[in-house]
Amino acid sequence: SLTDTAKKAVKFGFGRTATPKEIASWDIDVRPDGKGLPAGKGDVKTGRIIYTTKCAVCHGANGTETPGVKLPGAALVGDTLAKARPKTIGNYWPYATTLFDYIRRSMPYNLPGSLTDNEVYGLTAYLLNANKIIKADVVLDAQNLPQIVMPARKLFIMDDRKGAPEIK
Amino acid sequence: SLTDTAKKAVKFGFGRTATPKEIASWDIDVRPDGKGLPAGKGDVKTGRIIYTTKCAVCHGANGTETPGVKLPGAALVGDTLAKARPKTIGNYWPYATTLFDYIRRSMPYNLPGSLTDNEVYGLTAYLLNANKIIKADVVLDAQNLPQIVMPARKLFIMDDRKGAPEIK
Amino acid sequence: AAVLPVNALFAGDLEKNERLLHDLDDPTKSPGPGPSPLGKRSGFEKPVRKPSDISSRTPLQDLHSTITPADLHFERHHAGIPTIDPSKHELLIHGLVNRPMKFSLADLKRFPAITRTCFIECAGNFRTGKEEMTPQDVLGLTSQSEWTGVMLSTLFNEVGIDAKAQWFLAEGSDAAVMTRTIPLSKAWDDAMIVYAQNGEAIRPEQGYPIRLLLPGFEGNMNIKWLRRIELSEAPYMTREETSKYTYPVKDKIRMFSFEMDARSIITFPSYPQKVSKGYVEIRGIAWSGRGKVEKVEVSTDNGKTWQLANLQEPVLSKAHTYFRYLWNWNGNETEILSRVTDETGYLQPTLQQLVEARGPNIGGYHMNPITAWKVKADGSVWFKPEKYTDK
Amino acid sequence: AAVLPVNALFAGDLEKNERLLHDLDDPTKSPGPGPSPLGKRSGFEKPVRKPSDISSRTPLQDLHSTITPADLHFERHHAGIPTIDPSKHELLIHGLVNRPMKFSLADLKRFPAITRTCFIECAGNFRTGKEEMTPQDVLGLTSQSEWTGVMLSTLFNEVGIDAKAQWFLAEGSDAAVMTRTIPLSKAWDDAMIVYAQNGEAIRPEQGYPIRLLLPGFEGNMNIKWLRRIELSEAPYMTREETSKYTYPVKDKIRMFSFEMDARSIITFPSYPQKVSKGYVEIRGIAWSGRGKVEKVEVSTDNGKTWQLANLQEPVLSKAHTYFRYLWNWNGNETEILSRVTDETGYLQPTLQQLVEARGPNIGGYHMNPITAWKVKADGSVWFKPEKYTDK
Ligand code: HEC
Ligand code: HEC
Ligand SMILES: [Ca+2]
Ligand SMILES: [Ca+2]
Ligand SMILES: [Ca+2]
Ligand SMILES: [Ca+2]
Ligand SMILES: [Ca+2]
Ligand SMILES: [Ca+2]
Ligand SMILES: [Co+2]
Ligand SMILES: [Co+2]
């Protein structure tokens, strides 16, 4: 049923070569090894200011859960202690690069893609510091961001189920 | 794939017995052998009057095709001659009972089911006479209607194809 | 406790103000509307049936697989679409039965159910006449659904059928009070009373709340808005099976032709589409009222040679079957055609073969000729109308 | 020549005046409206999804077969539904490839196509907590469609894949610019780029104009509004595959659980339906992300004994499969349950087995426990919520 009329040897010639410029404008991903991180930098202090202006309305003044308030955005700061609730960056995110990647592509929720790379570095620094992962004087950039070892990293495993009858 | 969970032996007990009255109120069909024809009667003359009042607006003053006019209803009267066009009652209907059955259940198009049985006998008589199948003085009823032999009767055959590769 | 609005719900409000700041053409720059009770088509897509006063046709050329979306299912009505309150609708089964019975819709749903995917096709499905015809124009009176309901045999077992019964009359509750006579053997074979189409309640145009389903038989026999079945020794010779749905075969008129003969049509490329030199995947549908599609052959050289097309699995009995054939077009003008062979060994005929078999007065019913599309050197595609002597 | 209006077209006008003379309740007494470009549901039928701010759920209890009508397909969005002009949409494939390429929607439709019927299910599909829950509440984040498009392997063959590539990133063009990393083996196996759903263009909520289809894999990975694929040696560890769609298993957190585990649910009888003593056909759906449903067993005695259910044919791989079991209810209070075994031999577990296997902090993803409905002596049916230690 998944046999289509294509013979593997055939090249159809549909589509066209993508230009380097086209690729660059969409290629926004960041990998754990740092591949994809842009030039630029940001520190905790500037990050905090941007956070207050652009993020606090949805994630709370300090990014922590506020009792009695249901925020539109998830808590971002918690006890950096495995298995603590709520699951946040400090206790549940295995890679710091993911934070940069995610903020750059989809936050702030109402204006995704509007942050400069420096702003994203700053916000990442601020949130990592708030989660007690980096010191307050760290200036994040493409070199040191991938070096950060997240507390939750050691907990994560690739799927260890073998399939078949096993309940796991 | 058409095996459902019903075992032939089972009676489910869903539904209920239909009463004779319920059956009678819906059982309007008429068979070629006359089964289903109601009491009552009608002649050509009365039929013509009803036709003019209730049918002519859609089927034309005489039930024939009118050159240059597209009527909402089909022509009902034509050359009673096999293979003549248009196909009408005279040259294409194999059973007279069908005419009674069809008029009673679905005509006039705008008020189906509104005719009395006598009216339907009359209209049937009128249309059979207009198609030169019965004489002008015939009074139709449950006895003589099934006796009428339609000119097209001899042309009709049950499907004579045997299936399989045959193109027929 | 203060509750701020979340995610997509408030995205709608934000959007109005913020979108101005952003590139309107980049959907990644502003959140879109959130979930809803019922989805809608993209505003860029407007598939439609082609309605006349008595029917509407499925846009076959717009469909990429074989279940017809319910709102695009072809229609053929004889007195319009009745409005039926399902809580009041009942099915009467009487005549040559041990116990005449009435079943409510709720009763019918309690019986063991079955789902069958099959086509329903009008016996008059086939138009020709000019080059500017789409598959919808040529063959749009066929559609396919997942039908669910109860086997008619289950209900017949419940009422008990008299040994003298050979036929049954099925009657609709539309204003035509449409009737057809069906051989009893079909009830023991695969006839169903169906209440669901593509999972949900049957659509009004398709017989809501119940219709008769006779897989492979003429569309007209699949009585919609069904309210009554009467068991009988003999056929009723209703208007629809004598004055209509019959056709001249040489010096006779053939009636009670139930099965829809095997046929196929290429839906891509077709008028008014255009193709380019190089690989063109020819696509279409094939089906037979007598069982499964055995094979579909495609010709790209005016019918001189024929190549096997791929059949989309699963191939179901009495069901539209999607076929595809990869053609490497050299850019020269040609004609492309398809022909199906069904599991009974029946090969779709040419128009010429049909005319030879049935004579010059051949009618518009049960016409299933091979049809061709002309591909011009500029890539334009045109229907090839072939004359036949009906008039 | 004078032309009078015909049939259903003029029936509409006539109706207004004449209907008054007739019994309004008898649909055989006045013609109804005629054919239309697009059908609508009967006014008596109102199936709906249940929307929250981020998702909406398919009304499983209302469906009689396994293709979900497109407007009832469940939704899960992370930044709402983007509006995409199909004539401008392009798919970029780059990274570890011989030739980075862009494909327009028209390009994609020219490649050999294939249709696959399979389910898409959210990895977080399972809710419990109270007796007043319908199948839609419990498991409504799964739906099934006929998907048509091009095999991803065909496109990968066109760009040429570097031998070092092991994974690919798929990225959407919604405002979340949603990303997931997928093992390359899935592309060689059965991944597709699909542009059609149930025959017509994919609906906006499902990824119009194109989405990634990974049969059997977590819904979230089937990236909607797809615009980019990047081939890579290593996974990207995106937010959706680390912070989300991962779950505690004892002292570890499991990520990259692709296949949706086999599960089943009885959709009839279920809350808030009522049944009567006597024959009750138990109906439901079963499916597995690892292949075909091998068998479904039903228990009507609180799980003490299990009986084989009928499977609706054709049984397709990675597809919702309808099952039915005829129960003769004696009127006593009981619990009814279903459990599926898939073709790999995997038997749907109990909640207790899942908790034992994964520990007390078990999360909400990949939860596929056997669920039960309680049937009271009065015929009322209630969901049986079972506690588990997440919170
Ligand atoms: C208008 C509301 C809003 C604003 C403003 C906003 N966010 Fe968010 N944020 C959300 C929502 C809603 C989510 C959850 C989205 C989802 O799950 O798909 C989220 C998710 C996140 C997450 C992921 C949390 C997790 O545990 O997975 C991060 C990190 C984040 N936002 C950072 C930011 C930053 C940094 C800013 C400011 C630049 C920001 N947000 C501004 C609403 C907002
Ligand atoms: C408002 C228009 C209208 C009126 C009034 C009307 N008809 Fe008709 N009639 C039609 C239409 C339209 C058809 C075709 C219906 C179809 O094919 O389903 C038809 C079909 C017929 C046919 C079948 C013709 C054939 O060859 O199959 C007969 C017989 C007939 N009408 C008789 C009558 C009689 C008798 C009356 C008066 C009592 C009547 N009609 C009044 C519109 C009308
Ligand atoms: Ca990249
Ligand atoms: Ca963006
Ligand atoms: Ca009768
Ligand atoms: Ca009537
Ligand atoms: Ca928007
Ligand atoms: Ca009406
Ligand atoms: Co028809
Ligand atoms: Co999900």
Side-chain angles (χ1 to χ4, degrees), chain A residues 1-7 10-12 14 57-58 68-73 105 109-114, chain C residues 1-8 10-11 14 18 21-22 28-31 279 281 310 312-313 324-326:
Chain A
S1 68
L2 288 171
T3 317
D4 63 18
T5 60
K7 314 256 175 307
V10 159
K11 293 258 179 191
F12 290 91
F14 310 150
V57 57
C58 292
V69 178
K70 190 176 176 310
L71 291 166
R105 70 174 59 242
Y109 191 88
N110 50 315
L111 281 174
S114 63
Chain C
V3 177
L4 291 178
V6 277
N7 293 13
F10 77 116
L14 286 176
E18 310 286 2
L21 304 172
H22 275 73
T28 68
K29 303 297 190 198
S30 65
Y279 285 105
E281 192 177 66
N310 273 27
Q312 177 66 56
E313 292 179 13
R324 300 183 185 92
Y325 172 73
L326 190 58

Side-chain angles (χ1 to χ4, degrees), chain A residues 50-51 54-59 72-76 87-89 93 99 102-103 106-110 115 123 127, chain C residues 6-7 10 14, chain D residues 76-79 176 178 239-240 243-244:
Chain A
I50 305 162
Y51 179 88
K54 303 190 172 178
C55 322
V57 57
C58 292
H59 291 285
L76 303 177
K87 296 176 183 174
T88 58
I89 296 160
W93 286 52
L99 195 53
Y102 183 72
I103 293 172
S106 54
M107 289 294 140
Y109 191 88
N110 50 315
L115 301 172
L123 285 161
L127 287 170
Chain C
V6 277
N7 293 13
F10 77 116
L14 286 176
Chain D
R76 173 67 178 99
H77 314 308
H78 290 259
M178 173 64 60
R239 182 251 194 176
E240 302 298 321
S243 156
K244 301 287 162 187

Side-chain angles (χ1 to χ4, degrees), chain B residues 9-59:
Chain B
V10 158
K11 293 258 182 194
F12 291 91
F14 310 150
R16 60 178 177 82
T17 301
T19 66
K21 207 183 135 194
E22 285 177 324
I23 296 172
S25 76
W26 281 6
D27 189 6
I28 55 170
D29 55 77
V30 175
R31 251 175 23 186
D33 61 4
K35 183 155 180 282
L37 279 173
K41 58 170 193 273
D43 58 35
V44 174
K45 212 176 125 189
T46 5
R48 185 197 314 272
I49 294 166
I50 305 162
Y51 180 86
T52 307
T53 328
K54 301 190 175 179
C55 320
V57 57
C58 293
H59 291 286

Side-chain angles (χ1 to χ4, degrees), chain D residues 74 76 78 121-125 141 219-220 245 365:
Chain D
F74 88 88
R76 173 67 178 99
H78 290 259
E121 180 183 15
C122 178
N125 193 22
L141 297 176
N220 178 258
Y245 300 100
Y365 294 118

